[in-house]
Amino acid sequence: MEYELNIREVIYALSEALDLVGIDDTRHGKRVAFMAAACAKEAGFDDDFIDEIISIGMLHDCGVSKTETHRSLVTQLEWKDEQFHCERGAILLGKVKLFARFSQPIYYHHTHWDILEHLPVDARVKQMANLIYLADRIDALRVQLEGSDLERSDEIERIILEHKGNFFSPELVDAFVAAARRNSFWFYLADEPLEEQLLEWVGRGEILHLPFTEIREVAQMFADIVDAKSPFTFEHSFGVAALSNFLARGFGLDEHTRETVEIGALLHDLGKLRVDDDILNKKGRLNHGEKMLMNRHGFDSNMILRRIHGFREIARIASLHHEMLDGKGYPYSLEKEEIPLEARIVTVADIFQALVQTRPYREAMAPDAAFAILQEMADAGKIDKAVVKMIGANLDQAYRLAKYKERAEAA
């Protein structure tokens, strides 16, 4: 079936997830998008170019999953490993029909202008890539220098001018200097005016009729980003989605509901992008503060996905995967009757996949051992007995589906 979606709304919502990676430095992608658009307007680029650069700006760090990577990128003007996230981002975008045209600008968005201008690349791609690089480094300098934006604006301008012609296109640097002389350029970087400007842009977006396959490509891209945050979650979201789809089919749910379950499962851990790498990879028991941060990821997934009209049910399913039927789950502590079957399916699939996957505190379990834990939880009234029963009746297949991504990569 087809879905009616404003793609700008999708891009904005997913940029919320990408911006969580910075933890203490959120909205980086949105600031880059705004500054790149302001410079493009100053340079006289057409409206289509400006619309495109806003989208690219918000998605430009899709190759960044780890907090430490983000920290290195924003605290150094140049970083020796910066090209890796450009390459990864380009690969991820290239797999998504809706975003494939952004792949080349993302690939080159840390390439110095004195190299980029001589490469056999389309001129428009060069301009987009270098404009994102310019805005990205301006925002990095905001992190590195002390004071308010207006207080550090002269120093930022001085450093950017030092790299005119080598890091950055002279034309684009001139556009930045002209745009940045207006105080409003810097004022708009504060959270509220920034959001207002970008949401106006979102509101002008065209509603598209898209097949499920294209929606799934976007969800798979972000599942890849989330799963790459830790080596212990490499194939987690894909395995949960494959197993959830199988279970939903087993319960006779209709096609639209199965699609909703699959997308919800792919995106269920989106909020984990806010969690520091050290917490995700910790071998010992989490302390109270760390546990609270971890326990809010379902809530954050919900808040992100609810921004997309038509995704409310997906958001709800994604956010409930740690709710328990005894009312002792999180983040909402819902009672049994408040948890729909779709969410119960994702919960069981999530637990089973995690059990058969190596985690920092234990090795992967065999299917029988993992199922025994599911059965204990079902008997204790925590998870749905019927869903667990279906896992048990199809244990070998459930295991293969849970290890879906890992097996696909090995094939």
Side-chain angles (χ1 to χ4, degrees), residues 37-51:
C39 293
K41 185 175 181 180
E42 193 69 43
F45 288 103
D46 59 53
D47 290 344
D48 287 343
F49 183 100
I50 293 170
D51 286 338

Side-chain angles (χ1 to χ4, degrees), residues 82-347:
E82 62 191 14
Q83 184 56 29
F84 175 78
H85 85 283
C86 303
E87 294 170 0
R88 174 165 167 75
I91 290 170
L92 289 172
L93 291 164
K95 294 177 181 178
V96 180
K97 183 178 179 180
L98 290 168
F99 300 153
R101 66 188 186 280
F102 305 150
S103 179
Q104 268 201 310
I106 294 300
Y107 183 88
Y108 292 109
H109 86 270
H110 273 268
T111 302
H112 293 183
W113 179 252
D114 57 5
I115 296 173
L116 182 59
E117 67 172 329
H118 300 297
L119 294 179
V121 177
D122 180 79
R124 189 178 178 90
V125 170
K126 292 178 183 179
Q127 292 164 333
M128 287 182 168
N130 199 242
L131 185 49
I132 294 298
Y133 185 31
L134 173 62
D136 179 72
R137 293 302 84 196
I138 294 166
D139 201 52
L141 288 169
R142 291 177 64 256
V143 174
Q144 296 164 34
L145 301 174
E146 295 183 357
S148 68
D149 281 332
L150 284 181
E151 289 171 335
R152 56 195 169 194
S153 61
D154 287 346
E155 181 64 5
I156 290 174
E157 181 180 319
R158 183 191 67 78
I159 294 171
I160 294 299
L161 284 169
E162 280 184 357
H163 296 285
K164 180 179 180 178
N166 59 346
F167 281 24
F168 312 116
S169 156
E171 175 192 7
L172 298 180
V173 171
D174 290 344
F176 159 65
V177 170
R181 294 285 166 84
R182 303 185 188 93
N183 289 348
S184 60
F185 177 89
W186 303 102
F187 295 156
Y188 275 124
L189 300 181
D191 288 352
E192 289 186 12
L194 179 68
E195 182 175 33
E196 182 179 344
Q197 289 289 302
L198 291 175
L199 287 178
E200 284 184 10
W201 173 81
V202 169
R204 297 193 298 270
E206 179 185 1
I207 304 297
L208 300 179
H209 296 265
L210 301 168
F212 170 69
T213 53
E214 292 187 27
I215 305 300
R216 183 169 55 193
E217 285 178 353
V218 176
Q220 287 175 332
M221 171 182 159
F222 277 84
D224 249 329
I225 294 167
V226 173
D227 287 357
K229 189 165 177 65
S230 167
F232 299 103
T233 57
F234 171 62
E235 76 280 3
H236 176 66
S237 298
F238 285 84
V240 174
L243 181 53
S244 295
N245 187 310
F246 170 76
L247 294 170
R249 188 179 296 274
F251 277 97
L253 300 183
D254 61 67
E255 181 182 13
H256 176 71
T257 305
R258 292 198 307 271
E259 291 173 355
T260 300
V261 167
E262 183 175 356
I263 299 299
L266 282 167
L267 298 175
H268 76 285
D269 274 347
L270 202 57
K272 275 190 180 176
L273 290 173
R274 180 194 285 272
V275 182
D276 194 285
D277 309 342
D278 291 341
I279 295 175
L280 286 176
N281 298 325
K282 188 174 181 178
K283 293 184 178 180
R285 185 182 296 273
L286 300 181
N287 63 37
H288 178 71
E290 293 167 339
K291 190 173 182 180
M292 289 299 292
L293 285 172
M294 183 71 87
N295 285 1
R296 71 167 286 158
H297 73 269
F299 176 84
D300 286 329
S301 297
N302 187 26
M303 291 299 101
I304 292 164
L305 294 170
R306 282 170 63 88
R307 287 185 173 273
I308 305 171
H309 286 90
F311 264 41
R312 284 296 177 94
E313 190 58 27
I314 289 170
R316 183 165 179 254
I317 290 169
S319 73
L320 301 184
H321 66 281
H322 283 292
E323 296 294 331
M324 296 287 113
L325 301 185
D326 61 1
K328 297 179 181 179
Y330 60 86
Y332 307 108
S333 300
L334 298 182
E335 297 297 327
K336 178 178 180 179
E337 61 274 9
E338 298 178 280
I339 306 172
L341 175 61
E342 296 91 327
R344 298 180 190 199
I345 286 171
V346 176
T347 296

